[in-house]
């Protein structure tokens, strides 16, 4: 079988998944007996050595330049011959690694343009063309032809030069950019790109760069290299953003090196400026000097803004050093001054600078503002200045206010306080914010939700209280932003915002906005209440119940009627959440006060579900009460049984036996005394001692029978008995025996009382 020869390049994939160039050779297919099949062979064109040998399988689909598959009519796999690729290889001399460039002449511009355009699809040929352009100083020769064509008004040649310069940029080589963007070449490059063949008239980019765009040195730059780098970066950025068309999907990577070129230029500029301490010190000195003219201050602020924008290209550690340098130079006090100025451009630029600082280090900004109350009034605090700018934004769309609200949200977000080395930062800053700043933030909200003194009482027939609500769109947008920030506070600040809401009765004021004609504002007010209820905090729940704060929400639902819209769905979701979470206090309040107004709503089962939850809870409470009463009656019966128990009788018998024994002893002593008296013996002592006579007790069945003794019997009134130990408030030693006798009497539980005898 005859060989089919073709010139090819061989690449192999290494272990790092990178392609290694094995060289150029000729490919052929032939039958190899030891492989028992057709094999693909590639032999080096230099010495004929074997570069590749591979058996061809009829059942394997091979791929070449996005063409995959095989001819089903053939027994072997073949790739279609790409004549254009073969022609391109024929253009490259076998003895050279470079593309042979046509002479740089006017008559060869079309040929040069075709060559540059043709190599863009091949990475290898792009590389070789770039080397050729560099080795022969070709770029400067082409730009010389541009000046000739422009002098001759040779539009055809100028159109070819546009294609050539655009193609050279797409070669994506930094070495070429260094030549093309040098001071003596860049304007000619811009000139070539003005003559796009698709345009009837050329653009005037050079006129803009040289006459319209003015380079202003706010502070004289003495370093010529720095000045040149700034000029170059601006012009290259202009080429990328303005002149070159937006790259297609296939051209996205063609300008990656151009992006890198701009990136590293910015890094160099920032580094060189940062190292010039005298320059930056002068910038901030003039920025804060009251004698500085407004136009000069505007230029200074714009410079600092651009400076911060360039810093975003720095590596993290270098960016840290950059912002610390700015902080040491006093950028925050400077911003405090310029953000309070009347110039809108200055304020906008200062806000952009402030956003860079907040994004870099919120803690640094917080630390600065917490030191301010010791040095200044509340009205000029940096955060209050930002809040006032948000409130006073003159833009109908409130673009600046949205940006400032985002900055405030970042500053008061506890999430970025947790990683701080200062563990008390969260507590200290939030206490500071609610003491010095919150009243400024809520001022527009409170001002636009004041009660109308002429409004009627809702109990007298009006459907809802007539309150002052914002009618213009801009005010409604501002209040919506404030509510969004307050809702964030409810979610993340807990204690501080709870105290503020209670003290200011803030939820009541917010719910006034349910009457607004702007639905988005009513939804913001409802969302604020929804976040509060979502916390399931009984402290908030009691506040809502006491203030009857569901009334404006239910009025809004009823006023909405049968319209199925976002407001309707949001209100229904609020009550559905209360039902699902079974918030008992709120359920009871809603059903007790509003169910009659809501029971007609049947397109959802939410309110019937609330009623069901309410009834279930009532049943549980009733059962619990009945069980308590039954337990109480059972306790009374047990006590009665205890008092009537046989043990009491046994105790009574023991007492009676003890009393009889005492009586026998007393009676014996009495008889002895009587006999002694008969014998003329004296009883007692002859001095101051008294005779003691213990009389016999009367019979138990005749308690009122009197003894022959002249001593008086004392009957004690019966007292209720409680089966507990009695403890006196004061213990008297002389009454111990009497107390014991009283205890015995209380334990007897019998009408018989041991009499207290008087001497």
């Amino acid at each position: 079988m005859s060989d089919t020869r073709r010139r090819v390049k061989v690449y192999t994939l290494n272990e790092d998944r990178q392609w290694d160039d094995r060289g150029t050779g000729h490919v052929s297919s032939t039958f190899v007996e030891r492989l028992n099949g057709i094999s693909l062979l590639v032999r080096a064109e230099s010495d004929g050595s074997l570069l590749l040998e591979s058996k061809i399988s009829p059942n394997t689909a091979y791929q070449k330049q996005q063409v995959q598959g095989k001819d089903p009519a053939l027994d072997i796999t073949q790739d279609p011959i790409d004549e254009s690729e073969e022609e391109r290889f024929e253009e490259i001399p076998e003895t050279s690694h470079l593309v042979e460039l046509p002479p740089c002449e006017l008559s060869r511009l079309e040929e040069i343009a075709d060559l540059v355009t043709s190599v863009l699809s091949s990475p290898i040929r792009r590389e070789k063309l770039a080397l050729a352009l560099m080795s022969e100083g070709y770029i400067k020769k082409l730009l010389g032809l541009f000046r000739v064509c422009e002098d001759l008004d040779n539009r055809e040649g100028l159109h070819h030069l546009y294609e050539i310069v655009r193609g050279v940029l797409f070669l994506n080589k930094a070495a070429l950019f260094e030549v093309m963007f040098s001071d003596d070449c860049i304007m000619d490059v811009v000139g070539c790109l003005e003559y796009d063949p698709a345009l009837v008239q050329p653009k005037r980019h050079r006129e803009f760069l040289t006459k319209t765009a003015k380079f202003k040195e706010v502070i004289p730059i003495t370093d010529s290299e720095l000045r040149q780098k700034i000029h170059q970066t601006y012009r290259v950025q202009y080429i990328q953003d303005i002149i070159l068309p937006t790259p297609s999907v296939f051209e996205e990577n063609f300008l990656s090196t151009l992006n890198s070129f701009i990136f590293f230029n910015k890094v160099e500029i920032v580094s060189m400026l940062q190292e010039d301490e005298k320059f930056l010190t002068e910038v901030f000195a003039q920025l804060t000097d009251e004698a500085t003219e407004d136009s000069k201050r505007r230029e200074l602020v714009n410079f600092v803004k651009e400076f911060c924008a360039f810093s975003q290209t720095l590596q993290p550690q270098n960016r840290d050093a950059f912002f610390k340098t700015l902080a040491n130079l006093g950028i925050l006090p400077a911003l405090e001054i310029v953000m309070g100025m009347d110039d809108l451009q200055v304020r906008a630029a200062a806000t952009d600078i402030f956003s860079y600082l907040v994004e870099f280090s919120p803690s640094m900004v917080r630390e600065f503002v917490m030191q301010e109350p010791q040095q200044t009034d509340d009205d000029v605090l940096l955060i209050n200045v930002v809040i006032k700018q948000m409130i006073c934004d003159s833009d109908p769309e409130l673009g600046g206010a949205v940006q400032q609200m985002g900055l405030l949200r970042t500053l008061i977000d506890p999430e970025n306080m947790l990683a701080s080395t200062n563990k008390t930062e969260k507590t200290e800053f939030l206490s500071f914010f609610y003491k010095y700043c919150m009243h400024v933030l809520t001022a527009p909200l409170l001002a636009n939700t004041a009660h109308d003194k002429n409004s009627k009482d809702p109990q007298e027939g009006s459907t809802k209280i007539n309150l002052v609500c914002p009618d213009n769109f801009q005010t409604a947008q501002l209040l919506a932003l404030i509510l969004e920030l307050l809702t964030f506070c409810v979610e993340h600040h807990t204690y501080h915002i709870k105290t503020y809401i209670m003290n200011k009765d803030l939820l009541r004021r917010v719910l006034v906005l349910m009457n607004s004609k702007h639905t988005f504002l009513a939804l913001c007010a409802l969302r604020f209440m929804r976040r509060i209820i979502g916390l399931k905090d009984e402290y908030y729940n009691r506040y809502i119940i006491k203030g009857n704060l569901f009334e404006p929400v239910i009025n809004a639902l009823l006023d909405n009627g049968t319209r199925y819209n976002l407001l309707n769905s949001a209100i229904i979701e609020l009550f559905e959440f209360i039902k699902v979470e079974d918030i008992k206090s709120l359920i009871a309040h809603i059903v007790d006060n509003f169910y009659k107004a809501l029971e007609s709503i049947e397109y959802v089962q939410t309110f019937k579900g609330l009623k069901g939850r309410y009834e279930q809870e009532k049943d549980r409470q009733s059962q619990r009460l009945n069980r308590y009463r039954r337990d109480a009656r059972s306790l009374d019966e047990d006590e009665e049984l205890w008092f009537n128990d046989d043990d009491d009788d046994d105790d009574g018998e023991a007492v009676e036996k003890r009393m009889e024994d005492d009586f026998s002893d007393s009676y014996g002593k009495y008889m002895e005394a009587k006999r002694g008296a008969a014998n003329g013996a004296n009883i007692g002592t002859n001095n101051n001692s008294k005779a003691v006579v213990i009389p016999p007790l009367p019979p138990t069945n005749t308690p009122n029978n009197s003894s022959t003794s002249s001593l008086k019997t004392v009957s004690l009134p019966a007292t209720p008995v409680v089966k507990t130990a009695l403890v006196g408030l004061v213990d008297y030693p002389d009454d111990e025996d009497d107390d014991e006798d009283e205890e015995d009497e209380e334990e007897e539980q019998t009408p018989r009382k041991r009499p207290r005898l008087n001497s």
Side-chain angles (χ1 to χ4, degrees), residues 296-396:
K296 180 71 171 179
R297 183 175 283 107
R298 188 181 306 119
E299 293 174 358
L300 288 165
V301 172
N302 286 327
F303 166 77
V304 176
K305 172 188 170 183
E306 196 73 15
F307 192 31
C308 291
F310 276 27
S311 73
Q312 302 305 297
T313 61
L314 297 174
Q315 295 297 320
Q317 63 272 17
N318 295 334
R319 191 159 62 246
D320 290 352
F322 169 80
F323 281 110
K324 287 177 181 177
T325 299
L326 293 186
N328 293 334
L329 290 170
I331 189 170
L332 286 169
L335 285 177
E336 194 172 53
I337 295 173
V338 297
M339 290 182 76
M341 294 182 174
D342 296 331
D343 192 316
L344 293 178
Q345 292 183 2
V346 169
R347 293 208 315 245
T351 301
D352 290 337
I353 298 169
F354 186 65
S355 68
Y356 286 122
L357 295 172
V358 171
E359 180 183 355
F360 164 69
S361 177
S363 293
M364 180 182 74
V365 178
R366 285 191 286 261
E367 183 179 358
F368 169 78
V369 298
M370 281 192 290
Q371 296 171 354
E372 288 186 289
Q374 304 171 6
Q375 307 167 2
T376 184
D377 297 331
D378 291 359
D379 292 339
V380 293
L381 293 175
L382 180 57
I383 291 188
N384 286 346
V385 171
V386 175
I387 293 174
K388 289 177 181 178
Q389 279 201 24
M390 181 183 80
I391 293 172
C392 301
D393 189 3
S394 59
D395 180 8

Side-chain angles (χ1 to χ4, degrees), residues 367-622:
E367 183 179 358
F368 169 78
V369 298
M370 281 192 290
Q371 296 171 354
E372 288 186 289
Q374 304 171 6
Q375 307 167 2
T376 184
D377 297 331
D378 291 359
D379 292 339
V380 293
L381 293 175
L382 180 57
I383 291 188
N384 286 346
V385 171
V386 175
I387 293 174
K388 289 177 181 178
Q389 279 201 24
M390 181 183 80
I391 293 172
C392 301
D393 189 3
S394 59
D395 180 8
E397 298 298 326
L398 295 185
V402 172
Q403 181 187 15
Q404 287 142 2
M405 190 274 289
L407 297 175
L408 290 172
R409 180 170 178 160
T410 301
L411 287 174
I412 64 175
D413 186 358
E415 294 297 324
N416 60 48
M417 301 180 194
L418 298 179
S420 173
T421 55
N422 181 5
K423 296 182 180 179
T424 63
E425 180 185 15
K426 177 179 177 180
T427 302
E428 291 179 355
F429 180 76
L430 291 182
S431 298
F432 163 86
F433 180 78
Y434 280 86
K435 181 178 180 180
Y436 295 103
C437 308
M438 182 58 96
H439 67 281
V440 181
L441 177 64
T442 56
L445 176 64
L446 298 177
N448 283 280
T449 55
H451 286 262
D452 185 354
K453 296 180 180 179
N454 297 322
S455 63
K456 296 181 180 180
D457 189 329
Q459 301 297 329
E460 297 179 358
S462 63
T463 58
K464 59 183 178 182
I465 300 175
N466 180 24
L467 299 169
V468 179
C469 291
D471 291 325
N472 64 80
F473 179 74
Q474 188 169 357
T475 302
Q477 274 193 312
L478 174 62
L479 294 180
L481 287 177
I482 294 173
L483 279 176
E484 184 177 345
L485 203 57
L486 291 175
T487 303
F488 177 84
C489 293
V490 169
E491 291 178 322
H492 294 87
H493 292 176
T494 57
Y495 166 75
H496 291 87
I497 187 64
K498 184 191 299 183
T499 304
Y500 191 84
I501 289 173
M502 302 302 172
N503 291 340
K504 297 293 184 181
D505 197 11
L506 190 62
L507 180 56
R508 181 185 304 278
R509 304 296 287 272
V510 168
L511 290 176
V512 170
L513 302 176
M514 295 294 295
N515 296 328
S516 173
K517 69 179 182 180
H518 302 285
T519 304
F520 71 88
L521 182 57
L523 287 169
C524 288
L526 183 65
R527 189 181 304 116
F528 180 72
M529 185 179 190
R530 173 64 175 81
R531 291 293 183 274
I532 290 176
I533 292 176
L535 297 176
K536 296 188 286 188
D537 186 331
E538 277 303 312
Y539 194 81
Y540 274 130
N541 294 345
R542 288 193 297 271
Y543 164 68
I544 292 171
I545 292 169
K546 183 178 179 180
N548 195 28
L549 298 181
F550 276 108
E551 182 179 3
V553 178
I554 291 174
N555 284 339
L557 176 64
L558 298 177
D559 291 345
N560 192 63
T562 58
R563 290 189 293 265
Y564 182 69
N565 52 23
L566 188 56
L567 180 62
N568 175 276
S569 298
I571 295 175
I572 295 296
E573 190 277 334
L574 172 67
F575 290 105
E576 184 69 20
F577 174 82
I578 295 172
K579 182 194 77 174
V580 171
E581 296 297 325
D582 195 17
I583 306 176
K584 294 179 175 57
S585 58
L586 297 184
I587 291 174
H589 173 71
I590 294 166
V591 174
D592 285 340
N593 294 277
F594 304 107
Y595 186 70
K596 288 185 178 179
L598 298 172
E599 63 181 345
S600 61
I601 299 177
E602 298 181 345
Y603 55 87
V604 291
Q605 298 301 308
T606 299
F607 301 107
K608 292 187 183 298
L610 286 172
K611 178 71 170 177
R613 293 271 190 182
Y614 175 78
E615 296 295 345
Q616 289 174 6
E617 183 61 23
K618 281 187 65 176
D619 291 343
R620 282 195 292 268
Q621 294 288 350
S622 178

Side-chain angles (χ1 to χ4, degrees), residues 56-62 69-71 74-79:
I56 298 176
S57 173
N59 297 319
T60 300
Y62 296 93
K70 65 174 185 175
D71 187 349
L74 300 176
D75 292 334
I76 63 172
T77 302
Q78 291 181 335
D79 285 331

